[in-house]
């Protein structure tokens, strides 16, 4: 700035300063700087600033480091710190604040007299703040602003601000990438219209990433039953649940923010554990917490804790009333998907309640190298010989999620560890699946969801480096269950739809009831009672992988002791010796010969995982063995997956009759559009919907169908609209069922 303007700025900053003072000051400065004043050599502003008795703050540097101040490369999901050095000349003994900003998220220090941090003979100060975490790769901006509230009067404040460009490598944090979480949201959904239950310590529902509404305009928080003893009616005792449920529910405000598996889900929270409150802090009874979630419509509940009453041996066997039978009852009677974490208790060698329960999806974790199971978790077999965990959800080490200290500027917490943070990955996956099921009119029974999740899982290495196996005699690997969550495979199975046992697509699933019992005294008769056969068709080439999972429930009952029609602390839970746990087996036949079987006497999950399956005709068989007092039948969920090429005998169809009603009219192209964009209608013969026979079903088929019907444009590929026939083109589309031609074949 010009010399006189600078002096005017000085004058405005000094109380009682007048024109005479300004003249004297001008003469004094001119004499002091006489060697610098000459024609063509204008007076530098900084020289004036240096000789005046005014403080000056200048940012010297800003860099990204780890927590030990070592420079690092930035990666999605990796915590980093900002390290800055600034110069403080002519310091005042006066407090001011420093503001850090990353991706528009601001954190400000408390007022502090930074002159106290100056070492003798130095005018430089180092400041260090973090962690910061960006959840997605890309380019972002970080900055530091000294004296952000302008408490220090300076002549030049432009050097108080310093910006730094951040380039984050990777798309998502490695574990989120590994389970294909983003594809899950895109293919299945982000939890819209799904209610998630939190049953833990209190959940800080005021965290900015948990507030607001869903995509349908409704508040995400449905109801809560927890303390409000914190600031602005927020809860205390809220550390654990906030961290855990952030992995499920966090909803990004801006790109780069942390976001959970089901960011559009709504939620209900209850507080039954006192983890960090005062010793006299009151919480709910576990039964009251469960009843509150039921009353408020929870469809999936996360259970990242280990808690039981009564005999520890019973907990090892999944037999405690609280909490094994309670949790089994919620699944069996209310179709709530219950997702407990496997425990990591040092003084226990078995899974404990609720992770040892039968009707749950119990979740374990993997090591930070993302290749092996976590060595510190407890695992099966349970005391009664069952597999637990059922599935691996995510990393149990160096986890990132929400922080309950967000008011202090710590929005996220890094370095979390334990299986508590693995279960919410599966809880979020279930929310995605329920979203998909509601949108696409798929079966959403908890047994189906469990069967699909286990059949889609990817096996990892055990903690000792050995491969997935069932050496302990369990149906699943004792350390990792079926393997690691895989959302792309989940979608492949779920989107295939519920299958007709006579002609199954691969992958696929079914929900059914099996009646009667097989004959225990004879070889397997595939036409007898107690047998359900699924015709998988012909495998043409060796299949690298074939997986199938069968699940059913232990029937568990609620005793409403006080008769108020609500689950509460007065009530009890039990099994009935006249309604015993069924014994179902899962068998695989090739060309009529038994080639693989899963037969557990104690578990209510059967699982087949086979590699290098040879070509042939295959049948998957559910067998119900004789168990006295087990009732007339048993409902089950069954899912299967394969990487091989399978086919059935070709089915005849007519081209363009998309809804297979035997007519060729405007309803057919409309049906195609509803199938493509709403997903609410099934197409049993994709070959018929492929109007232009290009091997794909897309909008061009609906357009071609309309143009042919109403403009007479284009040609209708064989077999045409009036004659039943086979598809002459080899493609990936299948004709699963076409009743109009089947009726003709039957004549």
């Amino acid at each position: 700035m010009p010399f006189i303007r600078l002096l005017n700025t000085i004058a405005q900053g000094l109380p009682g300063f007048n024109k005479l003072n300004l003249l004297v000051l001008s003469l004094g400065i001119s004499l002091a700087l006489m060697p610098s004043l000459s024609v063509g050599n204008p007076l530098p502003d900084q020289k004036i600033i240096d000789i005046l008795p005014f403080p000056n703050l200048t940012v010297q540097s800003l860099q990204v480091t780890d927590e030990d101040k070592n420079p690092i490369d930035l990666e999605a999901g990796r915590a980093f710190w900002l390290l800055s050095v600034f110069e403080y000349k002519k310091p005042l003994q006066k407090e001011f604040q420093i503001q850090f900003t990353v991706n528009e998220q601001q954190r400000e220090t408390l007022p502090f007299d930074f002159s106290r941090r100056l070492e003798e003979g130095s005018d430089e100060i180092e400041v260090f703040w973090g962690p910061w975490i960006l959840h997605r790769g890309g380019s972002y901006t970080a900055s530091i602003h000294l004296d952000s509230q302008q408490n220090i009067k300076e002549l030049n404040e432009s050097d108080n601000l310093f910006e730094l460009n951040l380039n984050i490598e990777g798309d998502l944090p490695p574990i989120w990438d590994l389970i294909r979480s983003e594809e899950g949201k895109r293919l299945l959904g982000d939890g819209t219209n799904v209610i998630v239950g939190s049953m833990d310590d209190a959940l800080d529902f005021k965290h900015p990433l948990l507030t607001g509404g869903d995509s349908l305009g409704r508040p995400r928080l449905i109801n809560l039953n927890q303390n409000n003893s914190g600031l602005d009616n927020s809860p205390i005792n809220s550390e654990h649940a906030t961290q855990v449920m952030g992995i499920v529910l966090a909803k990004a405000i801006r790109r780069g923010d942390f976001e959970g598996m089901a960011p559009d889900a709504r939620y209900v929270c209850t507080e039954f554990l006192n983890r960090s409150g005062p010793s006299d802090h009151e919480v709910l009874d576990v039964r009251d917490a469960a009843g509150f979630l039921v009353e408020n419509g929870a469809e999936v509940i996360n259970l990242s804790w280990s808690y039981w009453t009564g005999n520890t041996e019973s907990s090892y066997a999944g037999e405690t009333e609280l909490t094994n039978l309670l949790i089994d009852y919620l699944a069996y009677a209310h179709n709530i998907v219950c997702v407990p974490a496997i425990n990591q208790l040092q003084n226990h060698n078995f899974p404990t309640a609720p992770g040892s329960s039968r009707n749950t999806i119990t979740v374990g974790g993997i090591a930070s190298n993302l290749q092996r199971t976590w060595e510190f978790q407890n695992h099966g077999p349970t005391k009664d010989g069952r597999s637990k965990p059922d599935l691996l959800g995510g990393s149990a080490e160096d986890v990132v999620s929400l922080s309950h200290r967000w008011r202090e500027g710590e929005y996220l917490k890094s370095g979390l560890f334990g299986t508590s943070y693995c279960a919410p990955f599966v809880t979020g996956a279930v929310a995605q699946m329920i979203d998909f099921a509601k949108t696409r009119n798929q079966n959403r029974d908890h047994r189906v969801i469990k069967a699909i999740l286990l059949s889609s899982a990817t096996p990892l290495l055990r903690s000792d480096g050995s491969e997935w196996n069932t050496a302990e005699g369990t149906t699943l690997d004792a350390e990792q269950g079926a393997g690691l969550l895989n959302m792309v495979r989940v979608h492949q199975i779920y989107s295939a739809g519920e299958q007709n046992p006579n002609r199954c697509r691969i992958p696929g699933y079914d929900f059914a009831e099996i009646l009667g019992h097989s004959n225990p005294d004879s070889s397997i008769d595939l036409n007898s009672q107690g047998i359900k056969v699924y015709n998988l068709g012909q495998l043409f080439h060796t299949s690298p992988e074939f997986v199938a999972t069968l699940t059913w429930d232990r029937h568990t009952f609620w005793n409403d002791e006080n008769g108020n029609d609500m689950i509460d602390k007065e009530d009890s839970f039990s099994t009935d010796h006249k309604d015993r746990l069924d014994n179902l087996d899962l068998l695989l036949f090739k060309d009529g010969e038994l080639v693989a079987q899963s037969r557990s006497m104690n578990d209510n999950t059967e699982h087949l995982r086979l590699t290098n399956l040879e070509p042939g005709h295959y049948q998957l068989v559910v067998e119900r063995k004789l168990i006295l007092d087990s009732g007339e039948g048993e409902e089950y969920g069954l899912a299967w997956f394969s990487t091989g090429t399978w086919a059935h005998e070709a089915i005849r169809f007519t081209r363009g009759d998309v809804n297979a009603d035997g007519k060729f009219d405007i309803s057919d192209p409309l049906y195609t559009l509803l199938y493509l964009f709403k997903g609410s209608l099934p197409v049993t013969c994709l070959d018929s919907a492929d109007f232009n026979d290009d091997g794909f079903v897309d909008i061009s088929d609906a357009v071609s169908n309309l143009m042919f019907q109403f403009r007479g444009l284009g040609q209708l590929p064989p077999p045409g609209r009036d004659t039943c026939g086979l598809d002459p083109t080899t493609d990936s589309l299948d004709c699963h069922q076409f009743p109009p031609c089947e009726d003709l074949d039957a004549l």
Side-chain angles (χ1 to χ4, degrees):
M1 66 183 75
F3 183 44
I4 296 302
R5 226 171 89 203
L6 177 61
L7 294 177
N8 276 323
T9 302
I10 297 170
Q12 292 171 8
L14 297 175
F17 211 83
N18 54 37
K19 290 184 178 180
L20 180 59
N21 300 139
L22 180 60
L23 178 60
V24 173
L25 180 62
S26 301
L27 290 171
I29 292 175
S30 299
L31 289 171
L33 297 176
M34 190 62 72
S36 302
L37 295 174
S38 61
V39 177
N41 184 23
L43 177 66
D45 294 344
Q46 190 60 46
K47 288 192 175 183
I48 298 174
I49 292 171
D50 288 344
I51 70 168
L52 292 175
F54 287 90
N56 189 54
L57 297 165
T58 304
V59 181
Q60 300 291 333
S61 64
L62 180 64
Q63 62 177 317
V64 172
T65 73
D66 62 15
E67 59 186 328
D68 297 319
K69 302 182 181 180
N70 300 310
I72 58 171
D73 294 325
L74 293 174
E75 299 174 2
R78 181 179 182 181
F80 64 91
W81 280 253
L82 291 178
L83 175 64
S84 179
V85 176
F86 69 91
E87 188 178 65
Y88 193 3
K89 290 188 175 181
K90 300 182 179 63
L92 299 179
Q93 293 182 353
K94 188 176 182 179
E95 294 181 341
F96 65 90
Q97 292 168 269
I98 300 175
Q99 183 183 86
F100 291 88
T101 304
V102 173
N103 193 31
E104 301 179 15
Q105 185 184 118
Q106 297 178 344
R107 300 185 195 174
E108 199 164 46
T109 66
L110 294 172
F112 183 74
D113 178 6
F114 283 89
S115 67
R116 294 162 53 186
R117 293 181 56 182
L118 285 169
E119 297 182 4
E120 188 174 349
S122 173
D123 54 13
E124 290 188 345
I125 298 175
E126 183 180 273
V127 286
F128 183 64
W129 203 348
W132 303 85
I133 301 165
L134 292 167
H135 193 63
R136 291 181 179 275
S139 298
Y140 302 90
T141 301
S143 67
I144 181 173
H145 187 184
L146 305 176
D147 189 24
S148 53
Q149 301 301 318
Q150 297 183 319
N151 291 340
I152 304 297
K153 197 67 179 181
E154 299 179 74
L155 297 180
N156 179 20
E157 294 182 346
S158 63
D159 54 4
N160 289 13
L161 182 66
F162 191 98
E163 289 192 349
L164 179 68
N165 290 325
L166 305 177
N167 293 310
I168 308 296
E169 298 294 328
D171 183 27
L172 288 171
I175 183 59
W176 295 77
D177 232 3
L178 188 60
I179 65 172
R180 313 291 290 277
S181 64
E182 200 65 15
E183 290 97 325
K185 287 185 210 175
R186 177 172 55 84
L187 296 170
L188 295 165
D190 54 6
T192 304
N193 209 27
V194 179
I195 301 175
V196 178
S198 173
M199 191 173 172
D200 202 318
D201 59 4
L203 175 63
D204 191 350
F205 61 96
K206 295 202 171 186
H207 191 292
L209 300 188
L210 296 176
T211 58
D214 68 359
S215 60
L216 301 178
R218 302 168 299 182
R220 296 189 67 207
L221 175 63
I222 293 176
N223 207 348
L224 52 82
N225 195 339
Q226 59 184 30
N227 79 84
N228 61 353
S229 302
L231 184 65
D232 193 25
N233 292 323
S234 62
I236 61 171
N237 182 41
S238 60
E239 182 175 2
H240 190 260
T242 303
Q243 294 167 353
V244 166
M245 297 308 293
I247 295 172
V248 184
L249 298 168
K251 191 169 192 174
I253 298 171
R254 62 188 68 81
R255 187 179 183 281
D257 282 351
F258 181 82
E259 186 164 271
M261 293 283 291
D264 205 41
R266 305 173 76 201
Y267 62 95
V268 183
C269 42
T270 59
E271 178 189 16
F272 91 97
L273 289 173
N274 181 11
R275 294 182 184 269
S276 57
S279 58
D280 59 350
H281 181 67
E282 294 185 2
V283 295
L284 297 173
D285 183 273
V286 66
R287 291 162 290 191
D288 288 324
F292 188 81
L293 295 180
V294 170
E295 293 298 317
N296 284 278
E299 296 166 281
V300 53
I301 302 175
N302 192 85
L303 308 165
S304 288
W305 39 266
S306 186
Y307 173 82
W308 69 92
T309 61
N311 188 287
T312 300
E313 293 292 314
S314 296
S315 179
Y316 294 159
E319 296 294 341
T320 62
E321 178 187 350
L322 301 180
T323 53
N324 291 121
L325 299 188
L326 165 63
I327 300 305
D328 278 347
Y329 169 77
L330 295 180
Y332 173 65
H334 294 280
N335 195 34
I336 297 174
V337 184
C338 297
V339 187
I342 201 77
N343 54 287
Q344 59 202 45
L345 305 176
Q346 294 183 359
N347 54 340
H348 295 272
N349 296 320
F350 296 94
T352 55
S356 56
S357 302
R358 286 171 170 77
N359 301 344
T360 61
I361 305 173
T362 301
V363 183
I366 62 177
S368 58
N369 63 13
L370 306 185
Q371 297 176 357
R372 301 185 181 191
T373 56
W374 193 44
E375 62 179 317
F376 300 107
Q377 68 188 20
N378 300 121
H379 59 78
T382 60
K383 194 72 171 178
D384 58 337
R386 293 175 292 112
S387 301
K388 290 293 173 182
D390 300 297
L391 193 65
L392 299 176
S395 176
E397 297 176 325
D398 199 20
V399 182
V400 172
S401 189
L402 303 188
S403 170
H404 71 300
R405 300 185 184 277
W406 61 270
R407 293 175 184 81
E408 302 167 23
E410 185 183 81
Y411 279 74
L412 300 179
K413 177 77 172 175
S414 64
L416 301 171
F417 72 94
T419 53
S420 284
Y421 307 105
C422 305
F425 282 97
V426 175
T427 300
V430 171
Q432 291 182 10
M433 294 175 71
I434 296 174
D435 180 353
F436 180 82
K438 289 181 176 182
T439 303
R440 301 297 182 96
N441 197 29
Q442 296 288 343
N443 188 297
R444 58 179 188 268
D445 186 89
H446 64 281
R447 288 157 287 198
V448 166
I449 289 174
K450 181 176 180 178
I452 292 174
L453 283 168
L454 270 60
S455 293
S456 60
T458 306
L460 299 181
L461 298 177
R462 288 182 158 204
S463 59
D464 63 2
S466 59
E467 294 187 349
W468 189 97
N469 66 75
T470 56
E472 288 84 355
T474 53
T475 60
L476 302 166
D477 185 290
E479 288 191 11
Q480 59 179 301
L484 180 67
L485 186 65
N486 184 322
M487 298 312 300
V488 169
R489 287 188 173 185
V490 167
H491 174 260
Q492 289 173 333
I493 298 175
Y494 221 174
S495 61
E498 201 163 350
Q499 297 296 301
N500 178 349
N502 294 326
R503 188 181 178 89
C504 299
R505 294 180 188 173
I506 297 179
Y509 75 89
D510 190 30
F511 179 69
E513 182 179 18
I514 188 168
L515 299 173
H517 303 92
S518 62
N519 187 343
D521 299 324
S522 64
S523 59
I524 297 174
D525 179 0
L526 298 185
N527 297 311
S528 69
Q529 276 198 330
I531 296 289
K532 191 92 169 196
V533 180
Y534 290 82
N535 182 14
L536 302 180
Q538 187 79 20
L539 175 64
F540 288 105
H541 305 287
T542 300
S543 172
E545 187 176 14
F546 176 84
V547 188
T549 308
L550 171 68
T551 64
W552 66 101
D553 276 344
R554 170 168 68 172
H555 299 187
T556 315
F557 304 96
W558 164 49
N559 308 303
D560 186 11
E561 306 290 359
N562 53 9
N564 65 353
D565 293 325
M566 293 180 61
I567 299 173
D568 59 31
K569 63 182 179 182
E570 303 298 325
D571 299 339
S572 61
F573 300 86
S574 61
T575 55
D576 186 348
H577 68 278
K578 294 184 178 180
D579 190 358
R580 297 183 183 276
L581 177 67
D582 255 296
N583 182 14
L584 306 186
D585 291 335
L586 185 60
L587 318 171
L588 184 66
F589 286 80
K590 172 181 172 287
D591 299 327
E593 298 293 327
L594 181 64
V595 293
Q597 55 188 323
S598 176
R599 296 182 181 273
S600 171
M601 293 294 294
N602 302 314
D603 216 329
N604 58 326
T605 296
E606 300 289 359
H607 185 77
L608 293 173
R609 178 175 294 280
L610 305 168
T611 57
N612 299 320
L613 209 60
E614 294 296 327
H617 184 272
Y618 284 87
Q619 294 168 301
L620 192 61
V621 175
V622 177
E623 180 185 10
R624 184 174 186 234
K625 304 299 284 290
L626 176 62
I627 298 290
L628 295 177
D629 297 320
S630 62
E632 294 182 358
E634 184 65 43
E635 292 181 326
Y636 62 85
L638 176 66
W640 54 89
F641 177 87
S642 176
T643 54
T645 302
W646 299 73
H648 289 275
E649 181 182 349
I651 284 183
R652 301 196 308 150
F653 68 98
T654 59
R655 186 79 65 179
D657 183 7
V658 184
N659 56 11
D661 63 354
K663 295 179 286 187
F664 183 56
D665 53 30
I666 192 173
S667 67
D668 295 306
L670 293 178
Y671 201 96
T672 301
L673 292 172
L674 289 171
Y675 166 75
L676 289 172
F677 299 107
K678 289 291 186 180
S680 55
L681 297 173
V683 175
T684 60
C685 185
L686 292 173
D687 282 319
S688 181
D690 183 16
F691 193 85
N692 55 18
D693 198 23
D694 64 354
F696 302 94
V697 177
D698 53 31
I699 193 171
S700 68
D701 295 301
V703 173
S704 298
N705 199 327
L706 286 167
M707 297 299 286
F708 183 84
Q709 288 194 54
F710 298 101
R711 292 291 184 89
L713 300 177
Q715 294 183 342
L716 188 60
R721 70 176 190 176
D722 299 318
T723 304
C724 291
L726 302 177
D727 186 8
T729 306
T730 301
D731 54 39
S732 61
L733 300 180
D734 186 23
C735 191
H736 178 62
Q737 189 177 18
F738 197 77
C741 290
E742 292 173 11
D743 294 341
L744 289 174
D745 292 340
L747 294 178

